Amino acid sequence: MDRPQLPLNALRAFEASARHLSFTRAGMELRVSQAAVSHHIRTLEARLGVTLFRRLPRGLTLTDEGAALVPVLNDAFESIGATLDRFTGGRYHEVLTVGVVGTFATGWLLSRVPGFTSAYPGIDLRILTNNNRVDLAGEGLDFAIRFGDGAWHGIEATLLLDAPLTPLCAPGVARRLTTPADLARETLLRSYRGEEWQRWFAIAGAPCPTIRGPVFDSSPTMAAAAIAGIGVALLPAGMFEHDLSTERLVRPFEAEAPAGRYWLTRLRSRSETSAMQTFRRWLMEAMRDREPS
């Protein structure tokens, strides 16, 4: 069906007049005369067959029909403006918003972001960190990289890597540890997920002591506490390679407890944009490069 030519100047005049409730102030904003704004409004009213404003002795008020049109135009103009803002430097920039659990962000992703942005300058990458509690739809995320078992309702999950847990601590604390049983004398730092230490002790073949250490809602914060010597943290060692290589953290035991995996997730109900496809391909290639040959 043919769409009639939109009276854009009249729509702009209406939107400005609705904000100011004044043809005069709308004309000042649009740099046209009050008479020109009034003419645009009359033309639009005639075309729609409705009255958009009630003219009062001192100003204007919107009719029900005018009030119904305002939010539609606001959304349309904001969408147009946002799209035009993406044309910078002679190219169109796609926005890609990725939510990332903090451990993966600091332990793996952030160091590789410069490589991505250099390879794909047309993608405006936006990273929002979280503690694994995420709402893809509610937060407007294209992707979320999260930790768990990959079973989330309405979510397509692509496996990235395993993240087994092992004790990590400051060097001074590690010097006191000879066997897993020695951990009973230390403060054992906990995550909000619970029972992780019990699983680790079962695999390490040692009795699990009563655990009363502080509870953390993020692994990077727990790692900072371990670095400060506050206690021993149970963490995915692969996400703290820098701290291990610089000996800010030490791994006193080799035993690992399976806990979960990192996944790239998106809403099944949403089709992937070209920026999403590019990011997924780049991420999976980076994961393959990380694997030992």
Side-chain angles (χ1 to χ4, degrees):
M1 181 177 63
D2 292 337
R3 176 176 294 175
Q5 183 176 357
L6 293 173
L8 291 178
N9 286 337
L11 292 172
R12 289 179 65 218
F14 167 77
E15 189 274 335
S17 299
R19 276 190 287 108
H20 295 292
L21 291 178
S22 167
F23 292 160
T24 300
R25 289 197 292 272
M28 293 173 63
E29 177 182 318
L30 300 175
R31 299 184 181 181
V32 299
S33 67
Q34 182 270 348
V37 172
S38 181
H39 173 73
H40 282 311
I41 299 302
R42 287 195 302 271
T43 300
L44 184 59
E45 289 176 327
R47 178 164 186 169
L48 298 177
V50 298
T51 299
L52 299 173
F53 293 101
R54 292 189 183 92
R55 280 71 170 174
L56 304 176
R58 294 185 178 180
L60 305 169
T61 185
L62 286 162
T63 64
D64 290 344
E65 291 78 9
L69 184 57
V70 168
V72 177
L73 288 183
N74 285 342
D75 290 345
F77 286 143
E78 287 181 8
S79 179
I80 292 169
T83 300
L84 293 178
D85 286 344
R86 296 180 188 176
F87 287 90
T88 58
R91 69 169 68 239
Y92 176 75
H93 292 256
E94 287 189 83
V95 175
L96 179 70
T97 306
V98 182
V100 188
V101 62
T103 310
F104 190 91
T106 58
W108 192 92
L109 182 62
L110 294 184
S111 65
R112 293 167 171 83
V113 165
F116 177 83
T117 55
S118 175
Y120 304 101
I123 297 178
D124 181 6
L125 179 62
R126 301 178 182 182
I127 296 174
L128 307 179
T129 58
N130 57 68
N131 64 355
N132 210 45
R133 294 180 174 93
V134 63
D135 178 357
L136 278 155
E139 298 176 40
L141 301 176
D142 296 303
F143 284 122
I145 297 175
R146 60 211 299 187
F147 179 83
D149 59 7
W152 294 282
H153 180 69
I155 299 297
E156 176 189 284
T158 303
L159 176 62
L160 296 178
L161 54 86
D162 289 313
L165 304 179
T166 194
L168 301 180
C169 59
V173 176
R175 286 192 286 271
R176 300 196 293 264
L177 303 175
T178 303
T179 69
D182 295 334
L183 288 168
R185 298 191 298 270
E186 305 294 334
T187 298
L188 302 183
L189 310 178
R190 297 177 289 168
S191 82
Y192 64 89
R193 285 181 290 271
E195 298 185 359
E196 293 174 338
W197 274 111
Q198 288 86 339
R199 289 199 297 271
W200 185 84
F201 274 104
I203 289 172
C208 182
T210 300
I211 300 172
R212 298 190 178 91
V215 177
F216 296 83
D217 70 348
S218 78
S219 293
T221 306
M222 192 193 303
I227 290 169
I230 295 172
V232 181
L234 197 59
L235 296 167
M239 293 295 103
F240 296 92
E241 291 176 349
H242 175 72
D243 293 313
L244 289 167
S245 65
T246 57
E247 296 186 349
R248 281 160 37 100
L249 284 174
V250 174
R251 179 176 180 173
F253 308 111
E254 290 300 315
E256 293 181 326
R261 298 169 167 180
Y262 290 105
W263 304 81
L264 178 67
T265 67
R266 72 173 180 89
L267 291 171
R268 284 201 185 100
S269 59
R270 181 175 178 190
S271 299
E272 287 192 358
T273 64
S274 60
M276 291 172 69
Q277 292 170 353
T278 298
F279 182 78
R280 177 192 290 276
R281 183 169 57 251
W282 170 82
L283 185 61
M284 299 313 295
E285 289 175 355
M287 285 291 125
R288 286 193 291 271
D289 290 344
R290 184 179 186 274
E291 294 175 357
S293 57

